[in-house]
Amino acid sequence: MSIIDEKWINETWEKLDKKLSRVAVEYRDAITYTTEEGKKYNNTANDKDINWWTNGFWPGLMWIMYDSTGNEEYRKTAENAEKLLDKALRNYDKLDHDLGFMWHLSAGANYRLTGNRDSYVRNMFAANTLAGRYNIKGEFIRAWNQPEKKGWAIIDCMMNIPLLYWASQETGDERYKYIAMSHADKTLKHHIRPDGSVNHIVCYDPETGEEMETLGGQGYGVGSSWSRGQAWGVYGFTLSYIHTAEEKYLDAAKKVANYFIAACCDDYLPKCDFRAPEEPVLYDSSAGLIAACGLIELSRVVPEFESKMYFNAACNIIKAIVENFADWSEDSDAIVTHCTTSYGAGKHWTLVYADFYLAEALNKLKGINTFLW
Ligand code: GLY
């Protein structure tokens, strides 16, 4: 018996659809990221921000809503955002490993849901560029472009490699999948700690692939436990298992998931870093919702006797966030509050990807199951 019932899911969904159907039309020619003073969305479809890593989540959110409701307004906004992103695809020097977030959720979603050929081509360009970032000797995908970061890899990339699994599936060419699995293997070995917590950044020697050091990245510090990094691990390894059926990825997903659940089960409202001092109190709702989507998928692939634990944990997290950190008023364009970009930024934001994962979670709970990964 789930801790949330159909009535709660349907009522929450109705509020989501009501707000987003207004926002979708208002931001028809934009790509949204966060809300500013006055709680209006900003627009990252400008020359400076068009390569921002989150720019696929707005069209991805629109595709989830379109697939769930059939409302054409969502589709039109998603298609516009995808076209705006063409500029980012041509900014070759600014492309980094976030090609998955940016195109698999925009062009990839369009192709999956409508069969659009132009979208297929965009996503294949993104996949090939991501594959080109693979360090052959080091056996990892390079995260960023700065020369001094040539050997840096981050846990977030586990959510970008589904683009490579997709490319292999579409073309029948195993090389993309090989690169994805090689990166996943390296991540498993170097990012996942024995207790199930996760290193955000691992710096390798770019010539040999030897681990040099780990960094706290967007978390509190070295050895801490940035909750969104944990969440990328939960969902990322679950997806690698779904795409490959390799038990080692399922085991990794469970290990990180067990740690995540234990770290937030007092109130199911994840802090920004599970190993930060008591003060200041910084939450990250985005981490909770990413993890919740991963936990629902995980609950579907583990044996029955384990399934309920992951599903109920996901429901607890979703319910806690909706009841404490959701703004359904029309004063704000965004829904989910109390997200953080990083521990160092020291404040709460709204983030479009938190709304994306809320929609994905509710879409799963409603049994629609739009799969974009
Ligand atoms: N991928 C960057 C972040 O999660 O903030």
Side-chain angles (χ1 to χ4, degrees), residues 26-238:
E26 196 170 329
Y27 294 87
R28 170 67 36 88
D29 297 312
I31 296 179
T32 67
Y33 170 51
T34 186
T35 46
E36 296 179 329
E37 296 302 322
K39 300 188 174 176
K40 299 308 287 176
Y41 258 132
N42 68 345
N43 178 8
T44 46
N46 56 62
D47 285 355
K48 184 169 78 59
D49 299 317
I50 192 65
N51 282 68
W52 185 232
W53 74 276
T54 68
N55 281 353
F57 286 104
W58 172 242
L61 172 60
M62 295 294 107
W63 281 119
I64 287 183
M65 297 308 294
Y66 171 68
D67 197 42
S68 310
T69 63
N71 179 347
E72 289 291 319
E73 302 300 333
Y74 290 125
R75 185 181 57 77
K76 286 182 209 161
T77 302
E79 286 173 349
N80 268 2
E82 182 183 332
K83 285 187 194 126
L84 290 170
L85 272 175
D86 279 350
K87 186 158 188 179
L89 198 55
R90 286 194 299 270
N91 276 346
Y92 183 77
D93 293 342
K94 287 192 179 172
L95 294 174
D96 61 25
H97 75 127
D98 286 322
L99 287 136
F101 286 127
M102 292 175 73
W103 279 280
H104 206 35
L105 298 179
S106 55
N110 190 350
Y111 173 67
R112 227 182 253 268
L113 298 177
T114 73
N116 184 309
R117 192 71 199 162
D118 289 343
S119 302
Y120 169 85
V121 171
R122 287 184 179 104
N123 217 30
M124 280 308 300
F125 271 113
N128 278 284
T129 310
L130 183 58
R133 301 185 69 83
Y134 180 64
N135 180 318
I136 296 171
K137 277 199 212 155
E139 301 177 323
F140 65 88
I141 292 172
R142 175 179 177 169
W144 295 303
N145 298 338
Q146 296 93 323
E148 69 280 12
K149 295 181 181 172
K150 204 171 164 185
W152 290 25
I154 63 175
I155 186 70
D156 321 30
C157 195
M158 287 303 296
M159 292 299 284
N160 285 317
I161 61 174
L163 171 62
L164 299 176
Y165 294 126
W166 170 84
S168 273
Q169 209 180 343
E170 284 295 324
T171 60
D173 184 336
E174 292 288 308
R175 289 175 301 163
Y176 305 100
K177 185 176 175 188
Y178 175 89
I179 290 171
M181 289 179 71
S182 170
H183 179 81
D185 290 345
K186 186 101 180 182
T187 306
L188 207 172
K189 191 160 168 215
H190 294 266
H191 285 257
I192 311 297
R193 302 180 187 129
D195 66 359
S197 68
V198 164
N199 290 310
H200 183 195
I201 301 175
V202 177
C203 309
Y204 301 111
D205 178 332
E207 305 304 326
T208 64
E210 187 194 339
E211 180 179 324
M212 307 304 284
E213 62 176 328
T214 64
L215 301 175
Q218 284 156 257
Y220 174 67
V222 177
S224 77
S225 175
W226 177 51
S227 59
R228 196 158 63 247
Q230 311 297 140
W232 294 140
V234 172
Y235 205 176
F237 277 103
T238 302

Side-chain angles (χ1 to χ4, degrees), residues 14-30:
E14 270 168 37
K15 287 188 272 187
L16 180 89
D17 186 29
K18 179 169 182 279
K19 186 148 171 173
L20 286 175
S21 53
R22 190 258 305 163
V23 174
V25 175
E26 196 170 329
Y27 294 87
R28 170 67 36 88
D29 297 312

Side-chain angles (χ1 to χ4, degrees), residues 249-317:
Y249 301 143
L250 183 64
D251 291 343
K254 280 163 55 177
K255 189 166 163 177
V256 182
N258 295 349
Y259 172 88
F260 193 100
I261 295 166
C264 75
C265 68
D266 49 349
D267 57 6
Y268 293 101
L269 295 170
K271 300 283 180 357
C272 170
D273 192 309
F274 293 134
R275 292 181 182 160
E278 293 281 304
E279 301 281 340
V281 179
L282 281 177
Y283 291 97
D284 187 6
S285 305
S286 74
L289 293 165
I290 295 159
C293 289
L295 290 168
I296 295 173
E297 290 298 333
L298 188 56
S299 76
R300 293 170 173 172
V301 293
V302 293
E304 204 182 333
F305 60 88
E306 290 178 282
S307 174
K308 210 152 105 189
M309 177 180 89
Y310 295 119
F311 186 75
N312 283 348
C315 292
N316 277 316
I317 293 170

